[in-house]
Amino acid sequence: MNNGGLLVAGTTSDAGKSVVTAGICRWLVRQGVKVAPFKAQNMSLNSFVTREGAEIGRAQAMQAQACRVEPTALMNPVLLKPGGEQSSQVVLLGKPVGELSARGYHGGRQQKLLGTVLDCLAELRGTYDAVICEGAGSPAEINLRRTDIVNMGIARNAGLPVLVVGDIDRGGVFASFFGTVALLSPEDQALVAGFLVNKFRGDVSLLEPGLDMLHGLTGRPTYGVLPFRHGLGIDEEDGLRVSLRGTVRESNTAPPVGEDVLRVAVCAIPLMSNFTDVDALAAEPGVVVRFVDRAEELADADLVIVPGTRGTVRALEWLHERGLADPLRRRAADGRPVLGICGGFQILGEHIEDEVESRKGAVDGLGVLPVRVRFAREKTLTRPVGEALGERVEGYEIHHGVGEVTGGEPFLDGCRVGQTWGTHWHGSLESDGFRRAFLREVAAAAGRRFVPAPGTSFAALREEQLDRLGDLIEQHADTDALWRLIESGAPQGLPFIPPGAPA
């Protein structure tokens, strides 16, 4: 294979592009192919910091792990981080370059980034045998086609064949496949090689007549029918789901080691970022994780987590509006465990000075941790390593807020007062020894006879899940046809399906 490539597009958002891309990557690397992932433009609050200090989407970091390579900024050159309904922070090659409205971005800035995106893709293709690209939303967003740099725009400029993924569990997958092709221009249609059905339940033989008719109508085959599997949405771009939870519960049938379970409540604050921080907790047998937005849901929680957010002051206001602020203060005063991560850590502090993110100026925090936060224009992007509770801890930092800790006991970069903990470090709970030590502290403070399982390895569970994705492709896709597509491009002479894109 020489500089092969493929664009995995979807009929809709959340059709399964991210996991299909990861699955194809893992299948290829098991065949001895040197492969890398790529997504030209990602919109997500779920991000990661590479070793060179660049911020990219966590989905691409997960796909890099599927490829068994180190993630870099080249794999996700443009990241959009929503700050509200109308604007996003633009992160270019891993560094923030400003805030733009949707109109401002699609009105000119996006198209100007095409050269950068193509340069990154070309560099990856010059280094790897194959690059598996992920699209965004649908390639048939006809209102955005002129400035598109992530779907058919990148496919046309780089000569990539396109595989369209459809989520049959939603219904309407045949209409979605046909309509997606029929709304593309003749030049774009020439690159759409075929389809992949995702999340199918039942007897595939009942689906085959529809697949045959779709082939007859479009001249394009279906490259596979992937069965529905719980818990495969690891490191999704956005959402409120514990992404490892389903897989862990399916694969780990052992009961909790101790007599009690441990209940974790995660405050579902606005613009939540890096909600995957709690995945490692959900991986522990006997830990029950749920997202909450009502005060009464905190009552029986053994641990409450205030997670990261792209809008610290807005999230603080939301906690007051929803009646969660005072219960959090009472928990802290009563010595019941609370953990603040990044924006959540800032919220638990005494004072926030923000002329950057919300531009609200001076704002009082919840006042349960002795920390004062000032928002800096430059974003902190690091991969720290440290020690806490006698265990080695690795994490990553993504924040504008700079904390000045004035008391309490040291805890990573933050502090601890009683059973209230705060840190800017994302990903710290993925360190197995530290996670177990922390859960033992929480259980003791909560009076629960919970014992962490001694052998749980979050990294091993992640690898197991990536292998499951590779198995799905290997067992349920036409891998010979996929190989030819990646190696040789879209077949010649694919028919045009009218009406095509509007003039």
Side-chain angles (χ1 to χ4, degrees):
M1 185 179 293
N2 183 30
N3 303 117
L6 175 69
L7 175 70
V8 178
T11 55
T12 62
S13 295
D14 201 31
K17 296 183 291 291
S18 294
V19 294
V20 167
T21 299
I24 293 173
C25 287
R26 178 50 62 102
W27 161 66
L28 283 172
V29 81
R30 294 196 307 206
Q31 309 308 308
V33 178
K34 188 180 179 185
V35 60
F38 180 78
K39 185 163 186 173
Q41 171 196 296
N42 201 343
M43 177 173 279
S44 179
L45 291 174
N46 203 20
S47 58
F48 182 75
V49 179
T50 67
R51 293 206 180 278
E52 72 266 32
E55 185 179 8
I56 66 172
R58 267 200 74 114
Q60 279 60 65
M62 175 269 291
Q63 290 161 358
Q65 187 174 349
C67 297
R68 299 183 177 135
V69 299
E70 191 67 33
T72 72
L74 293 174
M75 296 170 183
N76 180 205
V78 181
L79 174 63
L80 305 179
K81 302 194 72 177
E85 296 295 327
Q86 299 295 328
S87 67
S88 293
Q89 182 180 69
V90 181
V91 179
L92 179 62
L93 293 174
K95 304 295 180 183
V97 294
E99 296 271 343
L100 276 179
S101 67
R103 180 177 293 275
Y105 183 69
H106 291 289
R109 181 60 185 269
Q110 183 181 34
Q111 186 65 20
K112 293 177 182 177
L113 296 175
L114 179 60
T116 299
V117 163
L118 290 172
D119 288 345
C120 291
L121 178 57
E123 187 170 342
L124 288 174
R125 294 184 81 180
T127 305
Y128 292 89
D129 300 328
V131 178
I132 307 303
C133 307
E134 181 188 341
S138 162
E141 308 285 3
I142 55 178
N143 56 316
L144 303 176
R145 176 62 184 90
R146 182 178 60 84
T147 57
D148 170 47
I149 64 170
V150 64
N151 288 308
M152 301 312 301
I154 193 78
R156 281 269 293 278
N157 279 279
L160 293 171
V162 178
L163 181 69
V164 180
V165 177
D167 178 358
I168 197 170
D169 199 47
R170 297 181 178 200
V173 74
F174 291 116
S176 298
F177 281 146
F178 184 89
T180 296
V181 179
L183 279 177
L184 300 178
S185 69
E187 295 83 1
D188 287 350
Q189 286 193 24
L191 294 172
V192 178
F195 313 106
L196 186 74
V197 176
N198 192 28
K199 301 182 186 177
F200 179 73
R201 306 172 190 251
D203 185 346
V204 175
S205 66
L206 299 176
L207 189 66
E208 288 171 352
L211 301 179
D212 291 340
M213 284 186 272
L214 181 67
H215 193 179
L217 288 165
T218 66
R220 292 160 173 85
T222 296
Y223 283 75
V225 177
L226 306 186
F228 187 95
R229 291 287 186 268
H230 289 283
L232 289 181
I234 56 177
D235 291 3
E236 290 128 334
E237 293 176 358
D238 282 302
L240 285 184
R241 66 187 73 178
V242 184
S243 42
L244 268 178
R245 188 169 182 76
T247 294
V248 170
R249 291 299 176 256
E250 286 176 2
S251 62
N252 191 338
T253 57
V257 174
E259 296 179 39
D260 289 342
V261 299
L262 210 60
R263 295 172 175 85
V264 179
V266 184
C267 296
I269 57 179
L271 297 172
M272 188 189 305
S273 62
N274 291 72
F275 56 89
T276 49
D277 281 334
V278 299
D279 282 352
L281 294 180
E284 287 285 349
V287 175
V288 179
V289 178
R290 65 182 188 268
F291 292 92
V292 305
D293 60 3
R294 296 182 298 179
E296 56 268 30
E297 294 177 299
L298 302 184
D300 68 343
D302 301 309
L303 168 66
V304 173
I305 295 178
V306 187
T309 173
R310 177 73 170 96
T312 298
V313 172
R314 173 68 192 101
L316 176 60
E317 293 170 345
W318 180 88
L319 289 170
H320 284 288
E321 292 164 4
R322 299 290 298 187
L324 295 170
D326 286 339
L328 281 169
R329 289 192 183 106
R330 286 196 296 271
R331 282 189 67 93
D334 293 342
R336 301 181 66 198
V338 178
L339 171 63
I341 302 174
C342 200
F345 169 41
Q346 297 164 8
I347 285 168
L348 296 176
E350 297 169 343
H351 184 78
I352 299 169
E353 191 73 34
D354 181 13
E355 299 292 350
V356 175
E357 192 175 76
S358 69
R359 298 181 176 85
K360 291 287 184 72
V363 178
D364 288 332
L366 294 185
V368 296
L369 285 177
V371 60
R372 301 177 68 84
V373 176
R374 176 186 55 82
F375 274 69
R377 297 205 173 274
E378 185 175 346
K379 183 183 283 191
T380 297
L381 296 168
T382 63
R383 289 272 294 272
V385 177
E387 184 176 301
L389 303 179
E391 299 286 348
R392 187 176 188 272
V393 188
E394 295 184 29
Y396 57 99
E397 295 185 52
I398 306 171
H399 54 93
H400 284 279
V402 178
E404 179 191 357
V405 177
T406 60
E409 301 174 45
F411 175 62
L412 301 176
D413 72 316
C415 62
R416 168 190 182 179
V417 174
Q419 292 300 323
T420 302
W421 319 62
T423 176
H424 279 120
W425 290 23
H426 294 289
S428 63
L429 294 168
E430 295 180 19
S431 298
D432 296 328
F434 166 71
R435 180 180 67 253
R436 287 192 278 269
F438 177 70
L439 288 176
R440 283 192 290 269
E441 290 252 357
V442 169
R448 297 287 186 189
R449 289 171 296 183
F450 168 85
V451 178
T456 303
S457 166
F458 185 78
L461 288 168
R462 173 59 55 84
E463 276 297 301
E464 175 188 312
Q465 193 170 31
L466 291 170
D467 276 332
R468 291 180 70 208
L469 294 178
D471 292 343
L472 276 180
I473 298 300
E474 190 168 333
Q475 296 167 10
H476 301 281
D478 185 344
T479 52
D480 288 341
L482 268 181
W483 187 282
R484 289 192 297 271
L485 192 62
I486 294 166
E487 189 174 32
S488 303
Q492 297 296 307
L494 291 168
F496 170 71
I497 309 301

